[in-house]
Amino acid sequence: MEKFNYLLRLGDDSLILGQRLAEWCGHGPILEEDIAMTNISLDLIGQAISVLNYAGDVECKGRDGDALAFLRLEKDYKNLLLVEQKNGDFGDTMMRQFLFDAYRKLLFERLQSSTDKQLAAIAEKSLKETRYHFKHSAEWVIRLGDGTDESHKRVQNSLNNLWRYTDELFYVDASDKVLTKQGILPDLSDLKSLWLQEVNTVLDLATLQIPTNNWQFEGGRKGVHSEHMGYLLSELQFMQRVYPNMEW
Amino acid sequence: MLILFVLIVLKHIFVLLSCVPMENKNLELLEEKFQQKIDQDIKIEPNDWMPDNYRQTLIRQISQHAHSEVVGMLPEGNWITRAPNLRRKAVLLAKVQDEAGHGLYLYSAVETLGADREDTIDDLHSGKVKYSSIFNYPTLSWADMGAIGWLVDGAAIMNQVPLCRCSYGPYARAMVRVCKEESFHQRQGFEIMTTLCKGTLEQKAMAQDAFNRFWWPALMMFGPNDADSKHSAQSMKWKIKRSTNDELRQQFIDVTVPQAELLGLTIPDADLKWNESTNHYDFGTINWDEFWQVVNGNGPCNAERIEARTKAKENGLWVRAAAMAHAEKQRERTKQSA
Ligand SMILES: [Fe+2]
Ligand SMILES: [Fe+2]
């Protein structure tokens, strides 16, 4: 049960962010970025497929990745609040991506040594993609932060708005502790300090400041989402809800 | 001294007089040589001499093609977030990403002819340069993703396979790469249709409805009848075009009708029937009024498509400005540290 729960968190982060990035398709600021964002979305959907299918196997109730992706209630999605936030402008999207990629890169590095062979294999494959995503988003954060006055102001604003969702990246509850004991989850206690280091290095280059108000939100990991989530799910689930039990 | 002066003046007069016809003669010679190269199937490369009209025709044709790839992302992009399962979502993302890539190679091919990519894009936004009018039709159901892949990418392949032998090297090479991916797109579209047609009654009806809406616009993708096609003859001579609009359209119909029959779909054309004597399908009259209305901006989604592309560019201006400013700062820093 704990493992199923953890896989949902991992898979839902990929699924929901992949869904968000797909909204950019055809509307990117330059054609090269249309290609890059579509590509990252594709990687994330690929991760969601392997993680949620595995979650379905672990659960043993006959649900596959699609059933989990499309047919749960909102409260049963366990993704971070960060990834369901709206795309906003290109700076908001890149900042959201950067904060997330920095975390996922460190997480997948650790998960490679999980005693769960399948989880370790997924982590290894996803890490390669995530390193590329991180390079891409970090470079944009630097360009925008250390670009023009306007871009600096905009992306500083993005950071101010998104910072409140970053504590949740390191959310831990009793279920994680069980998995740590079993060795399925490696020790992740220093993840936050490593993340802060990585993030600070990039923000320094970007001449951006972490906001002084550190009031934080959480809820996604427990299934309590933001107002945006219902709309996102209504698009995601549309076909499966309107035409149930069909092959596509 | 005087004689010398007179001689010099005379020589100048002679040179001045002979200049104009000489230039014309040179041009004729160049054009003749150029046509010989084309007749011998020698590729024209960016630095080779080419008639100005050849260059302009290619810029128009390739930029139209590039814009079609990019605008074409919109009707399919419309269904990515609503794809019915994860595998379909991933395949559609990959397809639309390919189309953006096609746009990119083609804009590069336009640049080899001396046109600026941004100017080319502005010509799209101002309506000066067109794109395939098929993308001005709305995508109303999931089955449209099947119909577009099968019919629209299918028609694109018909149009583009001959262009792999186009006389202009960079365009021909871009087409070889593009065509490989288009055939994957066509297969995924046909596969969506196959699944729907084997599915429930609702799914089958969804497929038939999409087919009804996309069949005629797909036939229009080959352009006006040969008799009304103003650029055709010269383009054929230059091998920028290798088959006529009507030939390609007929070929498309002949290939596609049996596929529709295999799917169990009804072709929305009461006049369609096999003709024993020509060995081709006869088909009904295309609604050319509709064709020209859509080409000239009055299709169901023309305004939305151009608005979406213009907005994408406008919303991206600050991003480009930032990237340029940052690159400039970096250059300054390396200069200072050196
Ligand atoms: Fe294409
Ligand atoms: Fe295509």
Side-chain angles (χ1 to χ4, degrees):
Chain A
M1 199 58 215
E2 287 85 8
K3 188 152 101 182
F4 174 67
N5 192 34
Y6 191 82
L7 289 170
L8 285 187
R9 292 177 186 177
L10 202 62
D12 288 347
D13 283 351
S14 298
L15 173 68
I16 302 302
L17 188 56
Q19 175 78 2
R20 272 289 184 232
L21 282 176
E23 293 170 15
W24 270 103
C25 196
H27 306 280
I30 43 175
L31 201 47
E32 285 82 350
E33 284 311 301
D34 257 317
I35 296 177
M37 286 192 282
T38 315
N39 194 47
I40 297 168
S41 171
L42 183 56
D43 285 344
L44 290 167
I45 297 300
Q47 292 169 12
I49 293 174
S50 28
V51 176
L52 293 177
N53 275 330
Y54 182 37
D57 295 344
V58 167
E59 189 195 31
C60 272
K61 285 187 184 164
R63 294 201 282 185
D64 63 1
D66 282 330
L68 288 169
F70 294 95
L71 294 169
R72 275 177 290 158
L73 299 175
E74 180 174 321
K75 68 177 179 57
D76 297 323
Y77 285 83
K78 297 294 164 64
N79 57 281
L80 297 160
L81 292 178
L82 179 70
V83 297
E84 72 196 46
Q85 297 308 305
K86 285 184 153 185
N87 286 337
D89 69 15
F90 183 71
D92 295 325
T93 296
M94 282 303 118
M95 184 55 80
R96 181 185 66 197
Q97 192 69 37
F98 162 68
L99 296 168
F100 179 73
D101 291 339
Y103 149 76
R104 285 277 272 213
K105 186 168 70 90
L106 294 165
L107 180 66
F108 284 137
E109 277 168 9
R110 289 291 162 88
L111 290 181
Q112 287 183 112
S113 58
S114 166
T115 53
D116 184 292
K117 289 285 162 273
Q118 195 155 345
L119 180 58
I122 290 171
E124 194 189 334
K125 181 174 179 290
S126 307
L127 178 61
K128 285 193 196 108
E129 299 162 351
T130 309
R131 282 195 176 126
Y132 157 77
H133 303 167
F134 175 72
K135 185 170 180 291
H136 175 258
S137 59
E139 281 173 2
W140 271 110
V141 165
I142 294 169
R143 269 185 216 117
L144 298 176
D146 184 39
T148 62
D149 288 347
E150 186 193 0
S151 70
H152 178 85
K153 240 179 253 160
R154 277 181 184 248
V155 78
Q156 177 65 56
N157 206 37
S158 314
L159 178 60
N160 296 349
N161 292 332
L162 293 169
W163 188 254
R164 70 192 70 169
Y165 304 113
T166 53
D167 255 4
E168 197 183 24
L169 298 169
F170 308 100
Y171 176 85
V172 174
D173 64 12
S175 152
D176 298 276
K177 287 181 183 143
V178 173
L179 295 175
T180 311
K181 250 189 215 134
Q182 295 168 351
I184 292 171
L185 278 189
D187 177 28
L188 298 172
S189 56
D190 59 346
L191 211 63
K192 186 172 181 179
S193 64
L194 290 171
W195 176 83
L196 257 177
Q197 268 175 34
E198 289 252 19
V199 166
N200 270 320
T201 309
V202 172
L203 292 182
D204 275 351
L205 290 169
T207 70
L208 295 171
Q209 303 288 331
I210 290 172
T212 44
N213 185 346
N214 196 31
W215 181 248
Q216 292 282 331
F217 287 87
E218 59 164 46
R221 288 289 187 240
K222 290 179 242 170
V224 184
H225 294 276
S226 52
E227 282 187 348
H228 316 305
M229 187 67 171
Y231 294 96
L232 183 147
L233 290 182
S234 64
E235 266 187 52
L236 177 73
Q237 299 185 341
F238 169 70
M239 290 296 290
Q240 291 282 349
R241 294 290 186 198
V242 179
Y243 303 97
N245 306 317
M246 297 182 198
E247 290 295 316
W248 300 96
Chain B
M1 193 62 206
L2 187 73
I3 294 172
L4 190 66
F5 180 74
V6 169
L7 274 178
I8 289 171
V9 169
L10 276 177
K11 196 181 163 213
H12 276 214
I13 290 172
F14 176 77
V15 167
L16 280 172
L17 281 176
S18 62
C19 223
V20 177
M22 272 271 281
E23 217 167 66
N24 274 342
K25 193 135 199 232
N26 267 338
L27 199 66
E28 268 171 39
L29 216 72
L30 281 167
E31 278 179 1
E32 206 175 291
K33 270 197 172 158
F34 175 82
Q35 189 60 48
Q36 275 169 8
K37 265 170 96 175
I38 291 198
D39 295 342
Q40 290 163 20
D41 281 325
I42 298 171
K43 292 272 180 269
I44 308 300
E45 294 301 331
N47 294 326
D48 296 348
W49 185 86
M50 60 187 87
D52 202 44
N53 259 340
Y54 176 84
R55 185 187 299 275
Q56 294 312 324
T57 308
L58 270 174
I59 289 178
R60 186 176 49 82
Q61 185 175 330
I62 304 174
S63 62
Q64 273 184 8
H65 190 169
H67 299 328
S68 302
E69 299 286 355
V70 173
V71 176
M73 294 170 73
L74 296 168
E76 288 180 290
N78 185 37
W79 277 88
I80 294 178
T81 56
R82 288 178 290 172
N85 63 34
L86 292 174
R87 185 175 75 89
R88 292 287 181 207
K89 195 188 285 289
V91 173
L92 190 57
L93 273 164
K95 179 189 191 262
V96 178
Q97 189 193 11
D98 285 349
E99 307 299 7
H102 298 170
L104 216 53
Y105 317 147
L106 288 164
Y107 283 126
S108 309
V110 179
E111 284 180 321
T112 65
L113 291 158
D116 177 71
R117 173 169 149 189
E118 288 314 309
D119 293 346
T120 312
I121 291 172
D122 288 340
D123 286 345
L124 163 72
H125 298 167
S126 71
K128 196 175 137 198
V129 175
K130 308 288 182 204
Y131 52 90
S132 181
S133 58
I134 192 87
F135 301 120
N136 291 314
Y137 290 87
T139 50
L140 305 177
S141 78
W142 171 252
D144 291 14
M145 299 303 101
I148 288 181
W150 171 39
L151 301 172
V152 177
D153 290 82
I157 293 170
M158 275 306 158
N159 266 325
Q160 289 167 18
V161 164
L163 292 177
C164 298
R165 295 180 297 121
C166 157
S167 61
Y168 187 58
Y171 192 30
R173 289 189 289 272
M175 282 303 98
V176 172
R177 204 164 153 185
V178 165
C179 281
K180 274 188 204 143
E181 294 178 348
E182 297 300 2
S183 64
F184 152 74
H185 298 167
Q186 204 241 359
R187 273 204 304 277
Q188 68 88 36
F190 191 73
E191 202 210 320
I192 290 175
M193 291 307 257
T194 310
T195 312
L196 294 175
C197 290
K198 280 192 205 147
T200 63
L201 286 176
E202 277 166 301
Q203 286 174 305
K204 181 90 193 278
M206 194 190 282
Q208 180 67 54
D209 170 66
F211 186 50
N212 293 347
R213 282 181 289 107
F214 279 95
W215 172 250
W216 289 103
L219 298 188
M220 295 178 198
M221 281 178 72
F222 298 96
N225 285 137
D226 294 345
D228 306 315
S229 179
K230 54 180 176 177
H231 305 292
S232 265
Q234 180 63 71
S235 291
M236 296 281 281
K237 196 174 163 219
W238 276 334
K239 298 188 182 168
I240 292 175
K241 204 170 169 170
R242 311 233 29 177
S243 315
T244 73
N245 295 352
D246 288 331
E247 283 165 7
L248 290 168
R249 187 168 14 246
Q250 186 66 58
Q251 199 185 336
F252 176 76
I253 293 171
D254 291 347
V255 168
T256 311
V257 169
Q259 294 172 349
E261 283 167 353
L262 196 73
L263 290 170
L265 293 172
T266 309
I267 289 116
D269 177 357
D271 297 324
L272 189 114
K273 61 173 186 300
W274 180 251
N275 184 328
E276 290 282 349
S277 61
T278 59
N279 253 333
H280 290 296
Y281 283 96
D282 291 336
F283 55 97
T285 318
I286 289 171
N287 185 344
W288 293 113
D289 289 340
E290 177 181 325
F291 173 78
W292 289 113
Q293 285 290 345
V294 180
V295 167
N296 289 316
N298 303 318
C301 298
N302 294 60
E304 284 92 333
R305 302 295 185 239
I306 292 296
E307 193 195 334
R309 292 308 307 161
T310 310
K311 249 193 178 159
K313 178 160 184 180
E314 281 167 4
N315 291 341
L317 287 177
W318 71 277
V319 176
R320 289 156 188 252
M324 279 188 322
H326 178 71
E328 186 53 41
K329 284 181 187 175
Q330 289 292 80
R331 260 194 299 279
E332 283 300 314
R333 280 173 199 143
T334 38
K335 228 193 270 168
Q336 269 166 23
S337 65

